Amino acid sequence: MPRIFSGIQPSGELHIGNYLGAVKNWVVLQHEIESFICIVDLHAITLEYEPDALRRRTREMAVSLLAAGIDPTRATLFVQSRVPEHTELAWIFNTVTPLGELERQTQFKEKSARQESVNAGILNYPVLQAADISLYRADTVPVGEDQLQHLELSREIVRRWNNRFGEFFPEPRARLTPTRRIMGLDGQTKMSKSLGNTIGLMEERDAIWAKLRPAMTDPARVRRTDPGNPEICNIFHLHKAFSSPETVRHVDLQCRTAGWGCIECKQVLLDSMDRELAPIRTRGVELAGHPERVDQALGDGAQTAQRIASSTMTTVRERMGLT
Ligand code: AMP
Ligand code: TRP
């Protein structure tokens, strides 16, 4: 039976890169496949953080995910640290993970380059990720493009464990969206919480406009009358994510013929974004006023997750002689 697992770190606000790359897919797939959606606080503590901020962001992430359309009666939504088996299986997977593969991970190299002292958690981060997925024996992992290398390593870890202790875990495969890599507003780097180039899913229309207006477009469009190439413009790519196919065709033509200036193009994008995001914002505001609903969803989710995690670990311990 196919099963989905995916995770998101509560290290900042949910942004439109997360939404388009992963969360939107979770919302659709929860109706088709049994889904586990996890707020991965144990991953978030590998970088410097404040305990109070983590607590607040974990809740805010739950609110945002519910507002974005995760339905707790369809998907199991829970917080990773509430199910201690994640760390148990991660330790076990550490013993079958080649150190060289961990050191080769692009995200490890990037994160450790930014730090003066590097903790072992940053290195072992993908091992915990493999454990997250495997605890639920999930085979399908809807994520953005930046997670492909981690998933390749998850498959390797699972293969090694299965070879040593007998076939048990499925090899997890990524499921990508057409918007698998959203660029930041500078148009140069991936949209990312740590780079401060994001648009939050819950941001008000005015705040979004303040970010869109100065955002990078095709540098060839210096004057209003200079024609542009939409394919190299990040604003056009956001149109493809938020606007209707007719609008996208129209925008493409207006850009190539200099029919519109970039500001008009951005105004139309703002309307398209607002159409999709306003209802999410409204649900978010309402949910923030009902913390008991969020607690209920996370409590039920943790219970469901715990049941499956504990049954997986019974088999793992038996096979490994851990009695
Ligand atoms: P994170 O915020 O790193 O926990 O990522 C949560 C999910 O969002 C993962 O599946 C990422 O691959 C995805 N994601 C993050 N940033 C982007 C982006 N700029 N474009 C597409 N997907 C993204
Ligand atoms: N590493 C992922 C990210 O930063 C988050 C994550 C943790 C995850 N565990 C997971 C994603 C398991 C998919 C499956 O985006």
Side-chain angles (χ1 to χ4, degrees):
M1 198 183 60
R3 193 180 266 167
I4 280 176
F5 185 98
S6 200
I8 186 161
Q9 300 185 69
S11 48
E13 63 176 354
L14 184 62
H15 58 73
I16 62 170
N18 299 138
Y19 177 67
L20 297 171
V23 176
K24 210 172 159 175
N25 221 5
W26 303 348
V27 172
V28 174
L29 292 169
Q30 68 182 342
H31 297 287
E32 297 163 18
I33 308 176
E34 190 189 4
S35 298
F36 289 78
I37 304 300
C38 187
I39 303 175
V40 292
D41 52 354
L42 295 171
H43 279 97
I45 62 171
T46 56
L47 295 178
E48 240 179 81
Y49 77 102
E50 284 304 324
D52 283 337
L54 181 66
R55 219 181 328 268
R56 178 173 46 78
R57 284 179 175 154
T58 300
R59 283 200 70 80
E60 283 170 4
M61 185 55 76
V63 167
S64 298
L65 290 171
L66 292 167
I70 297 296
D71 175 352
T73 67
R74 305 221 59 116
T76 299
L77 174 69
F78 69 107
V79 178
Q80 187 184 32
S81 61
R82 289 279 294 272
V83 183
E85 282 85 348
H86 286 255
T87 47
E88 184 182 359
L89 188 57
W91 174 258
I92 285 169
F93 277 178
N94 267 318
T95 65
V96 296
T97 303
L99 179 58
E101 294 293 326
L102 292 176
E103 288 167 339
R104 271 187 347 106
Q105 298 293 306
T106 312
Q107 289 208 347
F108 167 66
K109 289 194 250 178
E110 282 173 6
K111 285 180 192 165
S112 52
R114 277 189 250 144
Q115 229 106 32
E116 267 179 35
S117 81
V118 179
N119 67 60
I122 299 184
L123 179 70
N124 293 324
Y125 179 110
V127 182
L128 179 57
Q129 181 160 351
D132 293 342
I133 302 164
S134 301
L135 208 41
Y136 305 92
R137 302 175 75 202
D139 52 9
T140 307
V141 185
V143 281
E145 191 180 70
D146 59 357
Q147 294 302 311
L148 289 179
Q149 197 188 23
H150 284 163
L151 279 179
E152 200 183 308
L153 180 53
S154 289
R155 286 195 292 280
E156 162 104 36
I157 293 171
V158 159
R159 253 193 316 271
R160 283 170 181 250
W161 192 94
N162 285 344
N163 281 339
R164 176 72 182 78
F165 301 106
E167 205 57 44
F168 181 54
F169 295 117
E171 288 183 25
R173 304 257 151 218
R175 172 86 75 106
L176 297 171
T177 63
T179 44
R180 58 193 60 182
R181 182 178 159 86
I182 298 297
M183 300 302 280
L185 294 168
D186 46 16
Q188 305 294 311
T189 47
K190 190 190 76 167
M191 183 173 286
S192 156
K193 289 163 199 164
S194 57
L195 296 172
N197 59 1
T198 59
I199 294 181
L201 200 63
M202 298 291 187
E203 279 192 69
E204 297 286 344
R205 187 187 166 101
D206 291 351
I208 296 179
W209 180 242
K211 290 181 174 181
L212 276 186
R213 204 180 36 202
M216 183 75 173
T217 58
D218 176 359
R221 297 208 70 182
V222 180
R223 278 163 312 206
R224 165 73 179 73
T225 48
D226 293 331
N229 174 6
E231 284 310 325
I232 64 166
C233 178
N234 193 32
I235 297 298
F236 182 64
H237 289 293
L238 290 176
H239 267 295
K240 285 203 269 191
F242 286 107
S243 298
S244 68
E246 303 84 73
T247 304
V248 171
R249 274 195 298 277
H250 191 61
V251 167
D252 182 279
L253 182 71
Q254 296 304 314
C255 178
R256 288 181 197 282
T257 58
W260 285 351
C262 293
I263 279 291
E264 286 157 290
C265 179
K266 288 172 173 176
Q267 276 162 345
V268 175
L269 174 62
L270 180 68
D271 286 338
S272 298
M273 287 179 67
D274 207 46
R275 213 166 295 131
E276 184 151 350
L277 301 184
I280 296 179
R281 209 158 54 222
T282 307
R283 277 198 298 273
V285 169
E286 174 169 2
L287 267 167
H290 287 280
E292 76 286 357
R293 286 191 209 157
V294 181
D295 288 340
Q296 179 81 42
L298 292 179
D300 293 351
Q303 243 179 37
T304 306
Q306 177 72 69
R307 219 169 27 242
I308 295 166
S310 125
S311 126
T312 301
M313 287 316 295
T314 302
T315 305
V316 168
R317 290 188 209 111
E318 268 168 19
R319 297 253 187 119
M320 296 181 74
L322 301 166
T323 46

